[in-house]
Amino acid sequence: MAKAKNVTLADIAAEVGVSNVAVSKALSGKPGVSEELRSKIKQISEQMGYLPGGPGRTGGTETGNIGVIIPEYYYGYSVSFYGKLHENVVRVLYDNQYYGILELLSSEDEKARNLPKVLQDKKVDGLVFLGQINEEYVLEVIKHAEVPFFFLDTYLPSAGIDTVISDSYYGTYELTNYLIEQGHKKIGFVGNVDVTSSIADRFWGYRRALRENHIRFEEQWEIQDRDEGGKTFEVILDSPNGMDAFVCNCDYTAYALIQDLTDAGYSVPEDVSVVGFDNYLPVGMDHKITTYAVDMEYMAKLCVRSLIKKIKHKRYVPGIQIVTGQIIHKQTVRNRK
C-alpha cells in the first residue's frame, strides 16, 4: 500500500478496484455507491492512512489556487468573450481568497485526453472549465480528477456535470419573438449548431419562436458562421437572400455579418435587421447591435461560489444552473409593420 503522506483517491481506487468517482462519493457521503462498498472504501482508506478534510485535496493540504481551463481555440476566436469571462472569474476568486491559474487547453492535449498540467502537478484545490470541451475529454477529467470542478458556459447532459450557463434558449426565443413583433417574417439564424451546446440552444429557441408564430422554417434559413474549429468565415453572407432579419448566435458574428452586408451594398437596419447575443464586443468594435445581455459577472460569481462550497464539502446546487438576461434595444432592428 502507498505511504500515508502520499495517499490519493486514485491510490484508494486502485486498492479497492473501483473508480476515483466511486471513492469520492463513498468518502463524502454522497449517493451512488452501495453501503457495502462505502464501508469497504472507508475501511481501506483508514488502513492506508488517508487524511480527509483538506479543502479539495487529499492529506489536508490546501494550495489556495483554482485552475481556470479554457480551450485555446475559443480563447482566441471569441476575441475575448472568454477573456472577459475569465477576468470575472479571477476577480471573484480573489474576493474569496483564492488565486486563479489560467491554463489554455491545446487541441492536441484535448484529443489525447491529457489532464490539465495544474491538475497533474497538484497545484490547485479545484478547477473551472470555460467554454465547450470535447465530451470524451470531459469524461476523462471526471474519471481521474482528484479535486472538485465546475464548468462555465457549457454543459453535457450525458456527463451530468456541475455547470453555470446563460439562458441561451429563452434568450433567442425572446429575440426572435421581438423581431416578429416588429413585422419580420423571413428570419435567418446565423451560427454553427454543431460547434457548441450554447449555439444549439440558441438555434432551438429561435425555432420555437417561429413555430409558435406559425412561421414555417426553411432549411436555407440556417446559415453557418464558422468552421468546426470555431474560426469565423471570412465572409458569412454577401446577400440577405430574400430574408428580412437575422438572429446571430453572438455579437461577434452579428458584427461580422453586418460588415459583410455593408460591403455588399446593403444597409442595416434599413434593408435588413440583425440581432446578436452576449451584449459584448471587444474594445474598438462599434457596439450598436440589438442583443440579449449575458450577465457574465453573476455567472462568474455563481460558478466560483458553488465551486468553493463543493471544495469545502458544503451544500451547493448540483447540475445545471441557468442565469437569465435581457434584451438590450440598440440600432440594428427596424419596425417593418
Side-chain angles (χ1 to χ4, degrees), residues 60-107:
T61 303
E62 182 177 5
T63 69
N65 299 322
I66 300 294
V68 184
I69 314 301
I70 309 175
E72 62 179 2
Y73 43 91
Y74 287 123
Y75 194 78
Y77 155 71
S78 61
V79 201
S80 54
F81 173 81
Y82 284 119
K84 185 66 176 179
L85 196 53
H86 167 248
E87 180 183 314
N88 278 277
V89 167
V90 170
R91 185 180 298 114
V92 181
L93 285 171
Y94 185 79
D95 290 342
N96 286 273
Q97 288 77 53
Y98 281 90
Y99 290 100
I101 301 178
L102 174 64
E103 181 173 329
L104 297 182
L105 177 62
S106 70
S107 300

Side-chain angles (χ1 to χ4, degrees), residues 293-329:
V294 170
D295 192 343
M296 284 193 280
E297 183 175 346
Y298 184 66
M299 286 176 67
K301 284 182 180 179
L302 188 58
C303 177
V304 169
R305 290 173 179 174
S306 297
L307 175 61
I308 292 173
K309 288 179 181 178
K310 191 174 179 181
I311 289 172
K312 296 182 180 296
H313 305 295
K314 295 182 179 179
R315 181 177 295 181
Y316 71 98
V317 178
I320 300 173
Q321 300 182 67
I322 301 174
V323 176
T324 58
Q326 61 180 329
I327 294 179
I328 306 296
H329 300 280

Side-chain angles (χ1 to χ4, degrees), residues 261-274:
L261 293 174
T262 300
D263 291 344
Y266 298 94
S267 179
V268 176
E270 288 74 20
D271 297 321
V272 60
S273 294
V274 175

